[in-house]
Amino acid sequence: MDKLKRVLSGDEEDEDRSIVTQVSDASTLSWSTRIKLFAICFVLGAGLSILGSCLLFMKNGLTIFAILYTLGNLLSLASTCFLMGPCNQIKKMFAKTRVIATILVFVMMILTLVCALAVKNAALAIICCVLQFLALTWYSLSYIPYARDVVKKCFSACLD
């Protein structure tokens, strides 16, 4: 409220602040708003992915499936921007520990759409969706300390 009063009264203090600071102050969201927006985006993303999966067996369902599944995953991935901010999210996505996983996620999203829309090969599109899911899972595990190591040990124990 004080900020609004200063701006409306034409206080000299606001003129000294940079435009970036003023925009940042005006666009900050409260923590509860961030949580709500995260939940809404994540649920919408998951819902689109599930809806796409349900529509897979309809006529022209492959195209709808590929688009909805990929958009759902993209929306779920973007939902975390509300928790940490878009710039911080991009920095974390391309950090040394997860840059390969991030690139794989986006490559698999693109390949899924290409296989469904351009190539129109159902088997390849479904394989790309499975690989997209696995890439997104591997990317998500990078945020949990030692989770990737645990998964690697579990799979190596299964193969022995």
Side-chain angles (χ1 to χ4, degrees):
M1 196 66 162
D2 291 324
K3 290 179 190 176
L4 181 62
K5 287 180 186 176
R6 282 194 312 251
V7 170
L8 293 177
S9 67
D11 193 359
E12 297 292 327
E13 181 181 313
D14 277 341
E15 291 178 13
D16 294 339
R17 293 178 12 181
S18 72
I19 189 74
V20 174
T21 307
Q22 290 177 17
V23 169
S24 176
D25 287 346
S27 64
T28 55
L29 300 172
S30 70
W31 182 247
S32 64
T33 303
R34 288 174 184 263
I35 295 293
K36 290 173 189 171
L37 290 172
F38 162 76
I40 290 168
C41 275
F42 187 81
V43 168
L44 281 174
L48 283 176
S49 295
I50 292 169
L51 179 63
S53 298
C54 292
L55 297 175
L56 176 62
F57 300 105
M58 292 180 55
K59 183 178 179 175
N60 294 330
L62 176 64
T63 304
I64 296 169
F65 164 69
I67 292 170
L68 289 179
Y69 186 80
T70 302
L71 284 177
N73 282 341
L74 194 58
L75 190 59
S76 295
L77 186 63
S79 69
T80 57
C81 288
F82 290 110
L83 296 179
M84 60 182 81
C87 292
N88 196 16
Q89 171 70 15
I90 291 171
K91 285 178 189 175
K92 288 186 179 200
M93 286 175 73
F94 291 99
K96 184 180 175 184
T97 57
R98 64 182 65 92
V99 68
I100 294 172
T102 301
I103 292 169
L104 278 174
V105 168
F106 288 120
V107 165
M108 294 319 304
M109 286 181 177
I110 291 167
L111 284 177
T112 300
L113 293 174
V114 166
C115 289
L117 301 174
V119 179
K120 297 186 190 232
N121 186 327
L124 277 177
I126 291 172
I127 289 170
C128 286
C129 282
V130 170
L131 292 174
Q132 183 183 145
F133 173 78
L134 293 173
L136 196 55
T137 301
W138 190 252
Y139 166 80
S140 299
L141 286 174
S142 71
Y143 285 95
I144 303 168
Y146 304 108
R148 287 179 172 182
D149 293 333
V150 170
V151 170
K152 285 179 189 177
K153 286 181 182 176
C154 286
F155 277 105
S156 67
C158 291
L159 296 175
D160 288 341

